[in-house]
Every structure is written in C-alpha cells, then in structure tokens.
Amino acid sequence: MADRLYVAQGTEILVFDEGGKANGDIAPSRILATSLASRFSAPLLDRNNDRLYILDQQQQKVLVFDNASTSANALPARSIAVSLTAQSTPGSSSVTSINGLAIDLVRNILYVNINDSTGCKIGVFGNANTLDGVAAADRVINVCATKKMALDTTRDRLYAIDGARSISIIDHASTVIGGSASLTVAVATSSGFEDITYDAVNDRLYAVDPLVAYQINDASGISIGALQLVTLGIQSRATSLAAIAVK
C-alpha cells in the first residue's frame, strides 16, 4: 500500500511520499496543484481510483484531481460548484462558505457542509464519481458541520463537528432527509474539536482540539454521556493542532 500524505496548505496541495516516515521540517515530494485564486482544505483520497477530492473555500467549490499519486502542478479534472438548493446559486453571494467534506465511495455519495442565506446545513449529492459543474443538493441534512466530517460507510453513519464543536452523529446518512442529528455528544475539552477522522478497521475515531489529539474507541457504540477520550501523546510544534489523518 502506498504511504503517501496529502496536505492542503493555503494555495497549494502538497504531497509527501513515505508520509509515515516523515520527520521534521521536510520539503514535499511534489506539489499536486497550486492556485493563487484558491484556498484548499479537507483533502480526501479515493485510493481505488487514484483520485483526490478537496474543498476550494475561496471559490466555494469541490475540486477533483485524477491520477493523484503521480500528478504535479495539475488542473482539476472536475470542478463542482455546490449549493443547497437550485435557488442558492453556486458561486454566488448566497453561498457564503463551504466547510466539511465526506465521500461514501460505496453508495457514490458526496457530503458537503454549505453555508448560504438559508443557514448552515449538509448538502447530499449523488453520482459523486461523475458530478461536475453546477450542482444543487439532492437532499439536505439539518446539521451544521462548521468544521470537519467523517464517515463510517459500513454503518451508514456520518460524524460531524458542529457549531458547538461537539460531535453530531447522523445515522442512515445516505437516505435521511431533513432530520437533525441522531445523537450529539458534548466534548469534554475546553475548546472543542477542530478535526475528526474515522478508522474503519478498528471502529475508532481520532480527533484534535487546538492542543491535544484524542482517540475514541468503539465509535459505533457511542451514546449520550459515554464518550471516552483517550489522550494521545501528540503535541503541537506550532500554535495549535488543526487536522488529523489515519492510515
């Protein structure tokens, strides 16, 4: 299995080969893409199709790069201008920002958190592997994922960091229409979570607040008042922790 790390850094997407062995201040192996008109965030890799999905928060689009493992200074193969409704015009002032991103590669569904004049909600888009151009959501989930999202495809369960920086859990994510979170778990940290990712092999969530990284075991068994945080021995070398990934 390739050991490759993709990092969104402002106007660039950096690639580090043998990312699991990286240590210290090192240069990237290559730059997948760069654009002064973009602000990249939340890269997600479709390993089977060698495809990278990433948010462009400046242009309020989801960009898709093919041949992610080898491309350099590439242009996106697809550019998806997302919106919650057809009336909420993609790329217009009514769409004010996009934040979290998740992909269900089994059901071919894209989840994007969108802020517009109607509020902050998660837009659900079908045909993720071909979606391109202007796209209004097929469905909307009434949860505001102000930070990041993670998906348990097997259990059809979406985890979202909400406006209170707690974890909102949406069961039956691929079919639910409208409904609010199935469960919201308050975070027992002073500042709340910044990022979250799911380890499907071990049914485990990893999350970070600005100072500490956490492990949450038995994620599918989370219930109200039962969130057990395991503190990981990771400390920030900068001012704060902002993102986490698991191989």
Side-chain angles (χ1 to χ4, degrees), residues 81 114 140 186:
I114 301 172
V140 172

Side-chain angles (χ1 to χ4, degrees), residues 42-44 55 62 98-103 109-114 120-125 141 143-152 157-162 166-168 170 173 194-198 205-206 244:
L44 286 178
L55 296 181
V62 178
I98 56 177
N99 304 101
L101 176 67
I103 302 170
I109 293 173
L110 181 72
Y111 299 89
V112 186
N113 187 76
I114 301 172
C120 172
K121 301 170 185 176
I122 299 172
V124 186
F125 303 82
I141 301 174
V143 171
C144 180
T146 58
K147 291 292 182 178
K148 302 296 177 62
M149 295 188 286
L151 185 66
D152 176 354
R157 188 177 231 206
L158 184 67
Y159 299 90
I161 300 177
D162 59 26
S166 299
I167 301 175
S168 284
I170 300 98
E194 287 285 331
D195 193 11
I196 192 169
T197 191
Y198 181 68
L205 288 169
Y206 291 89
I244 191 168

Side-chain angles (χ1 to χ4, degrees), residues 91-112:
S92 75
S93 58
S94 61
V95 178
T96 57
S97 65
I98 56 177
N99 304 101
L101 176 67
I103 302 170
D104 185 336
L105 296 173
V106 174
R107 299 174 181 85
N108 200 20
I109 293 173
L110 181 72
Y111 299 89
V112 186

Side-chain angles (χ1 to χ4, degrees), residues 8-9 14 16 27 31 45 58 70 74 101 112 118 162 173 178 187 224:
Q9 181 175 278
L14 310 180
F16 297 86
I31 298 175
L45 181 66
Q58 185 71 27
T70 56
L101 176 67
V112 186
T118 69
D162 59 26
V187 180
I224 295 175

